[in-house]
Amino acid sequence: MTRTMAARLRTLEVVFLVAIGGFAGANMRHVLSIVVPGLGGTFAANVLGCLALGFLVYEAELVGILAEKTGFVAATGFLSSFTTYSTFALEAVQSPTLTAVGYVGATYVCGFAAVLVGRRLARSLEGSA
Amino acid sequence: MVSPAYLIGAGAAVGAVLRYATNQYVDGVAARRRFPYGTFTVNVVGSFVLALVTFLGAGTDVLYLIGTGACGSYTTFSSFSVDTVRLWETGDRLLAGWYAAANFLGALGGIGLAFGVSTL
């Protein structure tokens, strides 16, 4: 009985952490879309988010300084909400063909590269830790 | 008049929790599959819903709540990129390429379906 109660509270805690991170992440993306209007804002959010998530995921594996709860707030909540696939895809569809091809290609290439840069940062941390 | 930050934030909080729940469910069903079905599912479904509210001509407040907030947070580019890089580095390069293409094709399919539904 106490165990199920503890499990429920634990689930509730995760839900709150993800929700709070999501609240902040989407607003940050919105602020960025005002500062950098058009495709550039979504592009910047997606690439920056990939850099940070790449770092967090590999940090958790290689170094492990950050707590699991930090992962729920920062990765599952904040960064996954800061970045977006739906807006990216809809913007591509609504752009002229040539712009769309460039936009999709640039976001994919820079996003994957940003993950690798994040991984490198985590690895350098592992060396110094 | 509600401040956009609350609309976006409220939608995003729900979207992020739904993404987490979808991932838990789909990854449970598709356990032992290499293809990251959870992230693929949220990206396709979220693109469909965002396109639908956009094509139906929703107002600014609804677009903040459902579009920028809920759908923007329900879908994710960062997890998608990390998934792709992980598949690639573990030697599943063909699957990594297919996963990257499938997400976009799936999103396109969702947007096309939304366009069809909006014209009914």
Side-chain angles (χ1 to χ4, degrees):
Chain A
M1 188 66 189
T2 41
R3 194 163 170 199
T4 41
M5 195 61 190
R8 278 178 194 171
L9 279 174
R10 158 103 185 127
T11 306
L12 197 65
E13 186 187 27
V14 171
V15 165
F16 273 119
L17 292 173
V18 171
I20 290 164
F23 191 108
N27 271 300
M28 280 289 286
R29 167 161 42 78
H30 180 61
V31 168
L32 198 56
S33 78
I34 293 169
V35 177
V36 188
L39 302 178
T42 314
F43 174 81
N46 281 339
V47 174
L48 285 174
C50 286
L51 175 71
L53 188 69
F55 173 78
L56 279 182
V57 165
Y58 288 100
E59 192 281 337
E61 276 184 16
L62 301 170
V63 200
I65 299 169
L66 300 174
E68 195 194 4
K69 284 172 190 171
T70 310
F72 282 123
V73 178
T76 315
F78 186 85
L79 290 175
S80 293
S81 297
F82 180 59
T83 63
T84 177
Y85 203 95
S86 51
T87 307
F88 158 74
L90 189 60
E91 280 174 347
V93 170
Q94 291 174 329
S95 298
T97 312
L98 208 62
T99 312
V101 170
Y103 177 54
V104 173
T107 307
Y108 266 42
V109 169
C110 295
F112 298 153
V115 172
L116 295 176
V117 172
R119 180 177 72 176
R120 169 161 291 202
L121 287 173
R123 280 187 178 159
S124 67
L125 196 65
E126 183 191 33
S128 62
Chain B
M1 173 73 192
V2 183
S3 159
Y6 291 114
L7 289 171
I8 293 168
V14 174
V17 171
L18 282 178
R19 166 166 40 72
Y20 178 68
T22 306
N23 262 310
Q24 294 286 100
Y25 177 75
V26 173
D27 288 348
V29 173
R32 284 190 281 160
R33 303 278 179 121
R34 301 278 297 144
F35 190 91
Y37 279 101
T39 303
F40 172 77
T41 304
V42 295
N43 283 346
V44 173
V45 172
S47 297
F48 167 76
V49 176
L50 174 68
L52 191 62
V53 291
T54 304
F55 294 150
L56 288 176
T60 314
D61 282 0
V62 174
L63 280 178
Y64 278 143
L65 184 74
I66 310 287
T68 313
C71 293
S73 295
Y74 185 65
T75 61
T76 172
F77 197 90
S78 51
S79 297
F80 156 76
S81 290
V82 169
D83 286 344
T84 309
V85 169
R86 308 215 74 156
L87 284 175
W88 181 273
E89 73 180 359
T90 50
D92 272 332
R93 300 198 166 177
L94 202 63
L95 191 62
W98 165 235
Y99 178 65
N103 267 269
F104 197 70
L105 294 175
L108 282 188
I111 293 168
L113 184 66
F115 183 73
V117 170
S118 71
T119 55
L120 286 179

